[in-house]
Amino acid sequence: MLRFVIDPDANNGVGVAFTDRVDPAGRGLGGHGFDGFNLGRTDEDPAVLEHLEALRARLGLGPVMVCHQVHGKDVWRVGADDVEGWTPQRYLGDRVAGQRKLPVADAMVTVLPGVALAIRVADCMPVVLADPKTGVIGVAHAGRVGFLAGVLPATVSAMRDMGATDVLAWVGPHICGNCYEVPADMAEQVWAEYPATRAVTRRGTPALDLGAGALVQLESLGVAAVGLDPCTFEGQDLFSHRRDHGAGRLAGLVWRTSNPR
């Protein structure tokens, strides 16, 4: 269920978590598709709501906000009106009768306590951010397309517009540079703009190390960033779309439980 957790009591009231595919019964190791603790879409896997509720209970979470991710750089500023009337079914989004459409975005920011922001991935980078001093939190979906589009600078900018000053970031599980093979012309273009992404696979073919690129970019933005990022493609306890087409989804979450100090 949980790969990494930072307890809010040890982090000035800000909690951070990245999930894996191993459910409480130990299922999800070496499985395929949706096997295990999937937090993706309910129209594909009816167990998602059960998994969400287990996660909320384990972490003591209130509302868990998600967005309709499209590999862009739009940032949703989650306010009290967005959270009002939240039910667990709201996590499931667009395909539930009577539910509002999820906002189209690839990042979310908020200053609301008691609200968790969640990004769902299966090889892309889940990046969670927080300024514990001011209480501004954020989360971003940063795959190759979103990273190149500038979703991380857009998220940091939105947080600073909301008052953040000292932003911290954690990069969660994603496909690594040893596994993320891309065409040579694409690699050359990305390497030219983001040299830290230069990588080769174990077979010597061109690849991208998005995690390294993200850490360098965040640091250039004045963000203290940490990689908590095992490879999804290599880890049988993690979902990987490239390894298992149509795989379930992990989640990266951030929440604030108290007023900033």
Side-chain angles (χ1 to χ4, degrees):
M1 179 190 296
L2 292 168
R3 186 60 181 258
F4 296 108
V5 180
I6 299 176
D7 192 293
D9 290 340
N11 196 34
N12 293 319
V14 172
V16 172
F18 295 103
T19 69
D20 59 24
R21 70 182 300 169
V22 182
D23 68 20
R27 295 167 297 199
L29 285 170
H32 299 283
F34 303 137
D35 291 349
F37 199 74
N38 178 23
L39 288 169
R41 289 166 44 183
T42 185
D43 58 315
E44 297 175 330
D45 182 3
V48 167
L49 186 56
E50 176 186 342
H51 297 162
L52 170 67
E53 289 303 277
L55 181 67
R56 292 178 66 223
R58 169 66 175 80
L59 295 175
L61 301 177
V64 179
M65 307 301 290
V66 295
C67 53
H68 181 70
Q69 300 167 201
V70 295
H71 300 280
K73 66 173 184 177
D74 288 346
V75 181
W76 176 24
R77 302 187 184 205
V78 179
D81 290 346
D82 300 310
V83 181
E84 184 178 2
W86 186 91
T87 67
Q89 286 74 21
R90 178 68 181 135
Y91 176 91
L92 306 176
D94 299 349
R95 298 180 184 252
V96 179
Q99 294 294 317
R100 291 176 294 168
K101 295 286 188 181
L102 292 174
V104 175
D106 283 275
M108 295 175 281
V109 296
T110 194
V111 294
L112 298 175
V115 175
L117 306 179
I119 284 293
R120 300 179 277 191
V121 300
D123 280 334
C124 295
M125 292 183 293
V127 182
V128 303
L129 308 98
D131 179 354
K133 293 181 180 178
T134 62
V136 183
I137 59 174
V139 65
H141 165 230
R144 173 181 56 84
V145 176
F147 173 74
L148 297 178
V151 68
L152 296 180
T155 306
V156 173
S157 177
M159 292 179 67
R160 287 180 173 149
D161 286 347
M162 298 179 77
T165 54
D166 298 319
V167 181
L168 309 175
W170 297 264
V171 180
H174 61 275
I175 193 167
C176 75
N178 290 330
C179 298
Y180 189 20
E181 181 178 9
V182 297
D185 57 347
M186 177 188 292
E188 292 291 349
Q189 291 175 2
V190 177
W191 295 346
E193 188 170 0
Y194 301 99
T197 64
R198 180 179 290 271
V200 295
T201 67
R202 292 184 178 85
R203 296 185 293 114
T205 54
L208 299 178
D209 188 338
L210 293 180
L215 291 175
V216 169
Q217 184 178 70
L218 288 165
E219 290 168 3
S220 75
L221 295 167
V223 175
V226 175
L228 301 173
D229 50 357
C231 179
T232 48
F233 186 86
E234 294 175 336
Q236 292 296 316
D237 60 340
L238 300 166
F239 288 110
S240 169
H241 179 75
R242 178 167 282 210
R243 184 187 65 228
D244 302 318
H245 184 70
R249 296 294 185 268
L250 315 172
L253 305 100
V254 63
W255 68 99
R256 180 165 66 82
T257 63
S258 63
N259 292 322
R261 298 177 182 176

